[in-house]
Amino acid sequence: MNITTSNTINNNDNIQQSPNTLTTTPVSISTTPPIHSSNNKFYLDSDNNNSSTLDSSNILLNSVKKKDKSTSIENTDWGKEYDNEKKKLEELSNLIQISKRPSTNVVKVSQLDSSKLDDEILDLLRTQFMKVFMFFKPNFISNFQPEINLILKSLIFKLSIFNLGTTYGNQLQNLTYRNEAAFDPRGGSDKLIKLTQRQKWMSGIFNIGGEWLWTRIQRISINDAWSERPPDDIRKRLWNLLNLMESAYKILSILNFLTFLYDGKYVTLVNRLLRMRLVYAHPSLSRRISFEYMNRQLVWYGFTEFFLFIMPLINVDKIKGFLYRMFLKSTFGKSGSANGGAHSNNPNALPVQNKHQLAEIQHQLALQKCPICIMEPINIPYSTDCGHLFCYYCIKVNTLIDSSFACPRCNSLVSRIKRYTGVDE
Ligand SMILES: [Zn+2]
Ligand SMILES: [Zn+2]
């Protein structure tokens, strides 16, 4: 028989029998439902105010509802029928006891999130702790980094897994560890099977002690240059062994993670070995993080990424110059055209009659401010087609980023620049 449970039943669904229809003594039937329906309680109130509480699944609810209909039609045979139904209920409760309960599915992202949260809690603590050693030599701290990690992790471990049976990150995600080795998928109690002392100790030793030992050995081996020893040296052999172990651990971790993605049971290798499975601490609670907020966050993140990607591709100065010329064109008409040369009918162009006069005006300009950077005097002056002077850096950069750069003084197109050396040349 396939038993399916659902959360669609209202948890406060109370079925009240009218007092005069109940004649038999109330029978207490206690069955243990699958996890999700543990809160479905309804009461049968009899005339002598005794009540029997039924903890029941969907099927039991349906059978009681059926009975409710029949009693309203035929009151006299109620007792007999109740006995019949009671037998059915007992059969069903036995069936539930022996049948396999639906497997618990824990959202994978919650499990991954909780380990992230744990890392961040450790980081917070470590940052605060490190401030104590602010005035010590930096060498001193880095020498004892593995030991500091060991102490802080042990502290958190003692306060979380050892005392509470779960980590802080797990608690935030409504998760807790279950001793999967002692868990019976058939019927039985829904009571959370807590971790044994052995599991707690082993996970602490593997996760915290193991990590400390590994970093220590690695530091020693690197400082002592084990990898550069002759091949028959014991330290070189140890080095090879360590590398082999590291590779094996990494491969196993990847395999474990792939398995986790498939069955969603154990995030880490140690948890799988010790059979410490994350399950919901309160099955009736849903995920606490609002997806609306998360989606908004994701959209904003995506938008920022896109913007940062697109920004370097946009030539802001070119757009600015283009808009500037457009504005000038519309304001001053065709005379301010960007295509105008030095000797066009451009009113802003230099009023040049001969070469001598141009040199005279340029000499005056050279002492003035550069129109781009407004620095005085112009640094390494360069002359444009129109004869106006700019710093070399200013005009070079502007013509490089915008091929249709117009002279800020006369708005004529700058196609080439040349060094201005003074009146003599
Ligand atoms: Zn300049
Ligand atoms: Zn000009």
Side-chain angles (χ1 to χ4, degrees):
M1 184 176 178
N2 189 19
I3 298 172
T4 52
T5 58
S6 71
N7 273 330
T8 52
I9 313 161
N10 185 357
N11 285 348
N12 300 321
D13 197 2
N14 293 339
I15 297 172
Q16 302 280 340
Q17 302 283 97
S18 59
N20 55 354
T21 56
L22 263 174
T23 50
T24 55
T25 50
V27 182
S28 174
I29 301 165
S30 175
T31 59
T32 314
I35 289 169
H36 282 291
S37 55
S38 59
N39 290 332
N40 299 332
K41 289 181 179 169
F42 44 89
Y43 303 94
L44 291 169
D45 292 334
S46 64
D47 47 357
N48 51 6
N49 283 333
N50 283 334
S51 64
S52 67
T53 307
L54 292 178
D55 282 326
S56 171
S57 67
N58 210 355
I59 296 156
L60 297 188
L61 180 72
N62 286 339
S63 64
V64 173
K65 274 182 177 166
K66 201 172 83 188
K67 181 184 70 189
D68 195 31
K69 267 182 205 163
S70 60
T71 48
S72 63
I73 301 163
E74 205 173 2
N75 279 339
T76 48
D77 291 335
W78 197 92
K80 202 174 154 192
E81 228 176 289
Y82 182 79
D83 284 342
N84 281 340
E85 296 294 339
K86 197 181 78 183
K87 267 182 209 158
K88 283 183 192 169
L89 281 175
E90 276 166 358
E91 273 170 31
L92 278 171
S93 76
N94 287 336
L95 201 71
I96 288 170
Q97 289 289 330
I98 55 164
S99 63
K100 250 191 170 181
R101 67 179 77 192
S103 63
T104 323
N105 284 324
V106 181
V107 183
K108 290 174 195 121
V109 74
S110 298
Q111 302 185 50
L112 293 172
D113 277 353
S114 68
S115 58
K116 276 271 168 219
L117 285 168
D118 282 331
D119 289 345
E120 276 179 31
I121 289 166
L122 179 70
D123 256 2
L124 281 174
L125 192 64
R126 188 160 42 203
T127 319
Q128 294 298 319
F129 191 73
M130 284 310 186
K131 282 185 181 165
V132 177
F133 301 102
M134 212 162 59
F135 300 110
F136 283 66
K137 281 182 192 166
N139 216 5
F140 175 79
I141 295 301
S142 57
N143 275 345
F144 293 102
Q145 191 67 52
E147 280 70 30
I148 291 171
N149 278 346
L150 180 75
I151 291 166
L152 291 177
K153 280 189 174 180
S154 306
L155 190 73
I156 293 180
F157 181 79
K158 170 78 179 83
L159 293 173
S160 59
I161 292 189
F162 214 83
N163 290 1
L164 304 166
T166 183
T167 66
Y168 295 120
N170 291 339
Q171 279 178 306
L172 286 171
Q173 295 287 336
N174 181 29
L175 295 172
T176 188
Y177 281 114
R178 177 168 81 186
N179 180 5
E180 195 74 358
F183 176 73
D184 184 9
R186 287 168 304 138
S189 168
D190 266 331
K191 219 172 120 264
L192 196 81
I193 302 153
K194 290 200 169 125
L195 298 179
T196 58
Q197 287 295 102
R198 188 185 142 270
Q199 275 174 316
K200 287 177 181 175
W201 274 107
M202 291 296 268
S203 86
I205 289 167
F206 273 129
N207 284 325
I208 303 166
E211 196 195 298
W212 170 78
L213 194 69
W214 188 255
T215 19
R216 259 291 154 228
I217 289 176
Q218 279 212 318
R219 278 185 178 219
I220 291 169
S221 65
I222 289 167
N223 287 342
D224 210 24
W226 285 8
S227 58
E228 284 149 37
R229 304 276 166 183
D232 50 340
D233 193 312
I234 182 84
R235 282 168 292 193
K236 175 70 178 175
R237 282 185 195 160
L238 259 174
W239 172 261
N240 290 339
L241 185 70
L242 286 176
N243 278 340
L244 200 71
M245 277 167 70
E246 193 177 6
S247 309
Y249 178 75
K250 277 179 181 165
I251 290 168
L252 285 175
S253 292
I254 289 170
L255 286 178
N256 175 67
F257 190 71
L258 289 175
T259 322
F260 167 72
L261 289 180
Y262 175 71
D263 68 3
K265 279 187 176 175
Y266 307 97
V267 191
T268 65
L269 200 59
V270 174
N271 287 0
R272 187 174 290 275
L273 288 174
L274 296 173
R275 305 207 66 190
M276 292 162 61
R277 190 184 166 186
L278 282 173
V279 290
Y280 291 118
H282 306 284
S284 49
L285 272 182
S286 60
R287 195 177 148 85
R288 287 187 195 176
I289 293 170
S290 112
F291 279 105
E292 195 188 341
Y293 172 74
M294 264 183 72
N295 286 344
R296 204 163 52 203
Q297 200 66 7
L298 284 174
V299 166
W300 180 243
Y301 180 75
F303 178 72
T304 320
E305 283 286 290
F306 175 72
F307 194 69
L308 287 177
F309 168 74
I310 211 81
M311 265 310 277
L313 303 178
I314 297 173
N315 193 337
V316 179
D317 287 292
K318 194 163 183 168
I319 294 170
K320 210 169 77 184
F322 176 75
L323 290 175
Y324 181 65
R325 283 193 296 278
M326 287 291 286
F327 172 74
L328 279 184
K329 217 186 254 181
S330 60
T331 313
F332 301 112
K334 295 252 187 235
S335 61
S337 160
N339 298 326
H343 305 290
S344 67
N345 51 358
N346 190 338
N348 297 319
L350 288 173
V352 181
Q353 261 81 49
N354 53 49
K355 207 182 170 187
H356 180 73
Q357 201 181 355
L358 174 72
E360 190 73 9
I361 294 165
Q362 280 190 332
H363 180 67
Q364 293 296 316
L365 282 174
L367 301 171
Q368 288 175 14
K369 288 174 183 170
C370 161
I372 296 171
C373 65
I374 333 175
M375 291 288 278
E376 199 177 343
I378 293 170
N379 189 19
I380 318 175
Y382 261 70
S383 163
T384 56
D385 309 323
C386 55
H388 288 121
L389 296 181
F390 306 91
C391 314
Y392 169 70
Y393 175 78
C394 299
I395 193 69
K396 189 70 189 170
V397 165
N398 275 289
T399 47
L400 274 179
I401 57 176
D402 185 1
S403 54
S404 54
F405 178 73
C407 168
R409 280 202 192 273
C410 64
N411 200 31
S412 61
L413 191 76
V414 178
S415 57
R416 61 174 191 277
I417 53 172
K418 81 174 194 288
R419 179 88 161 95
Y420 171 75
T421 44
V423 199
D424 309 333
E425 274 184 52

